[in-house]
Amino acid sequence: DTGVSQDPRHKITKRGQNVTFRCDPISEHNRLYWYRQTLGQGPEFLTYFQNEAQLEKSRLLSDRFSAERPKGSFSTLEIQRTEQGDSAMYLCASSLGGQANSPLHFGNGTRLTVT
Amino acid sequence: DAKTTQPPSMDCAEGRAANLPCNHSTISGNEYVYWYRQIHSQGPQYIIHGLKNNETNEMASLIITEDRKSSTLILPHATLRDTAVYYCIVRPSFGNNAGNMLTFGGGTRLMVKP
């Protein structure tokens, strides 16, 4: 299965530490999205890339968060100086193009716990 | 803000059809209706989407009313593995270079019971 892959699946870190997550999209997909999901809520949009260009960022993406997609393939999401409020599931999705009729396909997420 | 309204929870007997309603009364003419589901500890799974016509695939059927203000997702023979949160999403269409991202609401928690 060549679906969206995220690594690691789980990450426990202490407050103040930096963490980095990786997402490998479906190979031919040029769109890549990052979402965050807290317990009992639906996923919330963070940012998206078209190829290597980051085209939009949500207000949820504070300056401690940075995302990259250097070669238009895999992407990384880094959180600096983690806070307990950053504890959430971080989801990555990809799509072929940006048309409204091109579905997003999600990975199984990275669950972050900040202690 | 999400543009859809769904009941927070529903039950369905195993083997029966599960009919999940969604209200999207402010939908625009070029906006698609998408359905995803999320099983515990997994990412959202794409089910189906449609614009005006009813759609069917191997997972489900999507019935969109003629005025497009509401839709129903039908799982024809629900199994225990269909227990999940189901999200109905209206997706804007601004052209290929725009975000066109999905905005999730609270969804419907479907419990399939034996």
Side-chain angles (χ1 to χ4, degrees), chain A residues 2-113:
Chain A
T2 56
V4 177
S5 177
Q6 292 189 246
D7 184 70
R9 286 297 313 276
H10 303 275
K11 178 71 177 179
I12 300 173
T13 191
K14 292 185 178 179
R15 189 177 56 186
Q17 297 295 305
N18 299 343
V19 294
T20 300
F21 311 139
R22 177 180 171 122
C23 171
D24 287 272
I26 294 172
S27 58
E28 65 269 23
H29 285 186
N30 59 347
R31 279 281 178 109
L32 188 147
Y33 302 77
W34 284 99
Y35 280 76
R36 182 176 72 182
Q37 185 174 26
T38 54
L39 204 60
Q41 304 296 315
E44 297 172 292
F45 168 77
L46 291 178
T47 189
Y48 87 95
F49 292 83
Q50 177 153 304
N51 300 312
E52 66 277 6
Q54 187 174 16
L55 296 185
E56 189 164 342
K57 293 190 283 189
S58 161
R59 284 176 291 179
L60 293 174
L61 208 67
S62 79
D63 56 7
R64 295 185 297 106
F65 287 67
S66 63
E68 295 182 344
R69 194 183 184 199
K71 297 182 179 179
S73 56
F74 74 92
S75 175
T76 57
L77 178 67
E78 181 183 16
I79 309 174
Q80 296 182 328
R81 306 181 302 280
T82 52
E83 301 173 356
Q84 287 187 320
D86 297 331
S87 295
M89 174 81 85
Y90 290 85
L91 293 160
C92 176
S94 69
S95 69
L96 183 62
Q99 296 93 336
N101 64 347
S102 178
L104 274 65
H105 295 273
F106 285 82
N108 282 328
T110 294
R111 181 167 295 284
L112 173 66
T113 302

